[in-house]
Amino acid sequence: MKPDFLLEEHPLLLLNPRLVPPYGWAGHIPFAFLAIDLLRPRTLVELGTHSGNSYMAFCQAVRALALDCRCSAVDTWQGDAHALHYGEQVYQALRARHDPLYGDFSRLLRARFDDAVGQFPEGSIDLLHIDGLHTYDAVRHDFETWLPRLSERAVVLLHDTGERGRDFGVWRFFDELAARYPSFAFEHSHGLGVVAVGARIPPSFAAFMHRAAEAPQAVRGFFAALGGKLVDADGHPVEGAPAEVPPPGSHLYYRRRDENYDESRMVSLAPDALEGVLDLQFRLPADTTPDYLRIDPADHPGIYGLGRVAWRTQADEAWHELGGLPGRLGHVHGELLPSQATQGVRLASFDSDPHLEFEIGSALPQRLPGEWLEVAIRIEYEVVIDRPALHRLLERQSESIVEMVHLSRERIDVQNLLREFAGQQEQLLAICGEFGQQGQALREQSAELAERREQLQHLLLGFSHQREQLQGLASSLAQQQAQLTEALSGRDELEALVKQSTRQQVDMQSAIERLQQGVDSLAERGLVARMRRLLGRAR
């Protein structure tokens, strides 16, 4: 670097900080040390502190340099849509660490940003760190609201300039500021924007900004490497990093059937014990009637037992047992282990978010408006892995185990499928045998049906001939019927002719008889022979 900016003149950036989760800002702590050394602020304000990694680093540098600097951390310690919502234990844990070390020159100002701005004179703040809600409108509002309080030496830090999802808009506002002020952005640990707002920033800080603009990749790489000594690329503390063990926070989430779990529907406790059996009591807000509860026994990997679960209402202070807990289980994050308690369950988890869900809505009575509900859960902290250095190891082990479990389940699934296929194959073979028998019967029936069809065709042909004959008979009968009708019409004439013919027949018979008599008479007198001779001569 240029002679006017020498890193060896700022050994402060090599200080060891103490880290607590979440670790999203931890990679910028070396620069936080350097910024305090270069700027030597008289007033430092941080907007959005959460668990305090950034703010405690600022205070650590102020203490190490013995600066005359007043520091203020402004936060409600309730969270927001980006930092998520959290409970009272976060503030109490920070206060317990902060007050003994830095309480003589620093304060935790519990207030909204807009409400706290009036407590600082105009032109008084030399270093402002903005890390509140990260939408474009929110970060712009925070900057413009606090801008009149900034001094001529002021520098503003904006966290999360590298985040572009989840409605983050810090990057967009930082680009606008970069067009108005000397600026520089780190890219690791979600990004950190550095904006030299004051017209008269200290020469040492101006020298750093000049060097950063001259060799941005070298500066970014250097501080990313320093940050990598504290947290890895995934934001986990590296082995040997000075990370503090946070209290084993226990959280109870609640929801209705049509809702998702959200930090706005959460009650948290910070038990002192890391082992043993504890009865934790969570009081839900008034008018809350959940259908499902989700218990997070601790913020550490481990093995946890859940035994007695009971509830009571404001109107009825008697505790009521929630029976059949194993049968009420829903989603489980971890692995269920065998439990000696018939009404309890045991949960093993390899990451820092063990939890399980159970149904409670069917057991709750109707309550009066404004009544609260209290839930008591007995938790056995059987094994708690509270060393951060072991968390990453467990996560890697968990990934391997999960992969092995998936492979084992897939193998079992394949074996089950093979058995099922074998059974189906046997069924198909049996069905094919039945089909073969049925096919032979069908072929025989088909041949019989073909023969019957041929017979039917012959019968139909005979019926056709008979139909033609019947049609001829019908025609003949019709003619005869016509003749008969005609004959019947002349019946009287026929009867008269018959009578006449009968009389003529009788007369003819009489004439024949007389003629015979004459012949007989002639024969007796020889007359016939003589006539024959006469006839013979005539020829």
Side-chain angles (χ1 to χ4, degrees):
M1 292 187 176
K2 296 181 63 176
D4 56 350
F5 182 77
L6 300 175
L7 281 174
E8 58 267 27
E9 295 179 356
H10 306 283
L12 190 73
L13 57 83
L14 300 177
L15 284 177
N16 285 327
R18 301 298 298 178
L19 304 179
V20 296
Y23 306 104
W25 212 93
H28 298 298
I29 287 178
F31 176 74
F33 291 154
L34 179 65
I36 296 296
D37 195 6
L38 297 176
L39 193 58
R40 304 288 173 120
R42 298 160 298 179
T43 300
L44 180 152
V45 175
E46 179 175 84
L47 305 180
T49 298
H50 200 176
S51 62
N53 280 329
S54 58
Y55 187 71
M56 293 292 281
F58 291 136
C59 291
Q60 183 179 356
V62 169
R63 173 67 77 197
L65 295 172
L67 300 180
D68 183 13
C69 176
R70 303 299 300 176
C71 301
S72 299
V74 184
D75 204 324
T76 62
W77 280 277
Q78 295 177 351
D80 55 43
H82 288 150
L84 302 182
H85 300 273
Y86 43 83
E88 181 70 14
Q89 80 279 0
V90 174
Y91 170 76
Q92 294 297 341
L94 174 60
R95 184 187 58 78
R97 291 183 293 116
H98 166 273
D99 290 356
L101 294 174
Y102 313 121
D104 55 330
F105 66 88
S106 173
R107 61 174 177 166
L108 305 180
L109 181 55
R110 201 165 193 180
R112 296 170 58 86
F113 299 166
D114 289 358
D115 297 334
V117 67
Q119 299 188 33
F120 298 87
E122 291 190 2
S124 63
I125 299 174
D126 294 333
L127 180 58
L128 177 67
H129 175 219
I130 300 177
D131 196 12
L133 185 61
H134 295 83
T135 65
Y136 171 83
D137 292 335
V139 69
R140 178 177 179 178
H141 173 81
D142 293 339
F143 179 86
E144 293 177 349
T145 300
W146 287 80
L147 181 61
R149 268 60 184 177
L150 301 182
S151 71
E152 292 185 344
R153 307 172 65 244
V155 170
V156 176
L157 305 180
L158 301 171
H159 189 223
D160 285 312
T161 54
E163 293 295 326
R164 302 203 174 196
R166 295 174 53 204
D167 199 28
F168 277 66
V170 183
W171 63 273
R172 177 182 164 195
F173 184 64
F174 175 76
D175 288 347
E176 295 179 2
L177 293 180
R180 296 161 50 190
Y181 306 103
S183 303
F184 181 74
F186 295 101
E187 297 175 349
H188 65 286
S189 294
H190 308 287
L192 182 70
V194 183
V195 185
V197 176
R200 298 180 180 178
I201 62 173
S204 57
F205 201 92
F208 167 78
M209 295 295 288
H210 177 78
R211 180 57 180 160
E214 186 179 65
Q217 295 306 318
V219 172
R220 290 188 181 110
F222 178 79
F223 281 95
L226 284 181
K229 300 295 184 181
L230 301 175
V231 292
D232 60 20
D234 296 325
H236 299 285
V238 299
E239 186 175 357
E244 294 184 2
V245 178
S250 299
H251 316 288
L252 185 71
Y253 293 81
Y254 52 91
R255 70 176 179 90
R256 300 298 297 262
R257 295 184 185 277
D258 57 347
E259 296 174 335
N260 295 319
Y261 290 114
D262 186 90
E263 281 75 10
S264 63
R265 291 184 291 274
M266 178 186 74
V267 182
S268 298
L269 297 175
D272 296 330
L274 289 174
E275 58 183 13
V277 179
L278 299 179
D279 282 334
L280 303 182
Q281 296 182 7
F282 301 88
R283 178 168 293 187
L284 278 60
D287 297 324
T288 299
T289 305
D291 292 312
Y292 296 94
L293 298 177
R294 192 190 95 178
I295 179 67
D296 294 27
D299 297 325
H300 301 305
I303 300 176
Y304 305 94
L306 266 70
R308 173 179 178 267
V309 177
W311 55 269
R312 66 177 179 177
T313 63
Q314 186 173 357
D316 181 11
E317 295 188 359
W319 288 99
H320 303 273
E321 299 282 343
L322 182 67
L325 185 61
R328 294 178 178 271
L329 288 181
H331 177 73
V332 175
H333 186 73
E335 297 292 334
L336 291 177
L337 301 178
S339 175
Q340 296 179 353
T342 57
Q343 295 297 322
V345 295
R346 291 173 70 218
L347 177 68
S349 175
F350 291 94
D351 61 28
S352 57
D353 188 28
H355 62 260
L356 55 80
E357 175 190 68
F358 55 90
E359 189 272 336
I360 194 175
S362 61
L364 297 178
Q366 294 293 329
R367 304 201 310 278
L368 296 175
E371 286 187 347
W372 47 256
L373 173 71
E374 197 165 26
V375 178
I377 302 177
R378 178 166 296 169
I379 302 177
E380 179 181 0
Y381 293 89
E382 187 174 335
V383 176
V384 180
I385 309 299
D386 56 4
R387 292 181 58 188
L390 295 177
H391 288 187
R392 184 59 179 165
L393 177 62
L394 284 175
E395 288 182 2
R396 292 175 180 173
Q397 185 70 15
S398 174
E399 292 173 358
S400 300
I401 292 176
V402 168
E403 184 176 355
M404 291 175 61
V405 169
H406 286 324
L407 290 175
S408 177
R409 289 176 178 172
E410 289 177 357
R411 184 178 63 182
I412 293 173
D413 290 341
V414 170
Q415 291 175 347
N416 291 335
L417 285 174
L418 288 175
R419 284 194 293 269
E420 184 177 351
F421 287 158
Q424 291 179 353
Q425 186 178 19
E426 292 180 359
Q427 294 177 358
L428 287 173
L429 290 175
I431 292 173
C432 288
E434 294 179 1
F435 283 165
Q437 296 175 357
Q438 293 178 359
Q440 181 62 31
L442 288 173
R443 285 192 293 272
E444 293 176 357
Q445 292 177 2
S446 178
E448 183 179 354
L449 288 175
E451 183 179 356
R452 291 184 178 180
R453 181 177 62 182
E454 187 176 354
Q455 294 174 355
L456 286 175
Q457 288 176 346
H458 289 302
L459 289 174
L460 289 175
L461 183 60
F463 288 157
S464 177
H465 293 317
Q466 291 178 2
R467 184 178 61 181
E468 292 177 358
Q469 293 175 357
L470 289 174
Q471 288 176 347
L473 290 174
S475 177
S476 176
L477 288 173
Q479 293 176 359
Q480 291 178 3
Q481 184 178 11
Q483 293 174 358
L484 181 60
T485 303
E486 183 179 356
L488 289 174
S489 63
R491 185 179 57 182
D492 295 340
E493 297 178 0
L494 180 60
E495 290 178 351
L497 290 173
V498 170
K499 290 179 180 179
Q500 184 180 356
S501 177
T502 301
R503 287 195 301 269
Q504 291 176 353
Q505 185 177 8
V506 171
D507 294 342
M508 186 178 293
Q509 185 66 35
S510 297
I512 291 172
E513 290 178 356
R514 287 195 301 270
L515 179 60
Q516 185 65 39
Q517 290 175 359
V519 170
D520 290 341
S521 178
L522 290 175
E524 291 178 358
R525 295 191 298 257
L527 180 59
V528 174
R530 289 192 296 269
M531 285 181 66
R532 287 178 179 172
R533 287 191 298 266
L534 289 176
L535 289 172
R537 293 187 185 110
R539 292 176 184 175

